[in-house]
Amino acid sequence: MTTIAVLGSGTVARTLAGRLTDGGREVVVGSRDPRRAAGRWAGSGVRLTGLAEAADSGALVVNALPGPVSVEVLGGLAAQLAGKVLVDVANATDSDARGFASGLRYPGGSLAEEIQRALPDVRVVKTLNTMHESVMADPAGLATPPTAFLSGDDAEAKKAVGGLLGELGWPADWIIDLGGVESARAPEAFVLMVGGLVGALGPVPFGLSVAR
C-alpha cells in the first residue's frame, strides 16, 4: 500500500492523517517546523518530518499548508514532487478582522491553477476545500450528504484521488468531477461565504452540497 504524505501540520493535516492512519495507511506528515510541531503529534502513530522528506516519501501528496504560502513552499519542493499526484485541499485568501476570508488571493484564477503552473511536472487535483475540516474525514457525520468536487487535468490522478476520498469515507455518488484544473475557481470561491454562514448558523461543521 502506498505511503501518503501530508504537507502541513495543522488541524486539517491532523484530521486527514488520523483517518488515513486509522484505516491502515502509512502516513508521513511534513512540517515547516517539525520540532515545534512534535508535541502536537506525539502518540498519533504518524511519522513527523520536514517538508522535503515527507514529499519525497509519499507516492501521493496532500497539500494541507496554509493557502497563502502554498505556491512558494511547494515550488521549493519541485524535485521531490515531480511526477506525483498532489491533492490540494487549501484555500488562498485574504482575511478580515475575524479571520474569515475577505477576498481571493488569485481572483480570476485559483490556487490549484497557480500550483499547477508553478509545478508543471506535478499532477494537481483540487478537492475537499468546500467544507469544515472535520467533514473532510467524516462526511456521513452531517445530516445532509455533502459534495466533494474534483478539479484536475489528469484523469488517472483524479481516479487515484477518488480512491483516497473513498478511504476518507466518501461514497462515489457524493463526488463530482468538475473537469480541468481551471474548474477549481468556483469551489475555491465558496470560502467567501463561510463568514456569513458561520454568522447565520453558528460555529457548526458544514459543507457545500449539490441538491439533485
Side-chain angles (χ1 to χ4, degrees), residues 19 54 78 86 113 144 150 154 165:
R19 176 66 186 258
L86 180 72
E113 289 172 273
T144 301
L150 296 176
D154 188 292
L165 293 180

Side-chain angles (χ1 to χ4, degrees), residues 125-212:
V125 179
K126 188 80 182 193
T127 193
L128 295 181
N129 65 304
T130 56
M131 63 201 69
H132 187 268
E133 65 265 13
S134 64
V135 179
M136 294 178 178
D138 184 24
L142 296 182
T144 301
T147 302
F149 302 99
L150 296 176
S151 298
D153 293 334
D154 188 292
E156 287 301 312
K158 286 193 283 189
K159 182 178 179 181
V161 175
L164 182 68
L165 293 180
E167 294 182 42
L168 291 169
W170 287 88
D173 60 352
W174 292 8
I175 303 169
I176 298 178
D177 185 342
L178 295 179
V181 70
E182 74 282 352
S183 68
R185 298 176 187 183
E188 285 194 21
F190 171 71
V191 73
L192 297 177
M193 294 179 62
V194 170
L197 287 170
V198 170
L201 303 174
V204 297
F206 60 81
L208 182 60
S209 178
V210 175
R212 49 186 168 169

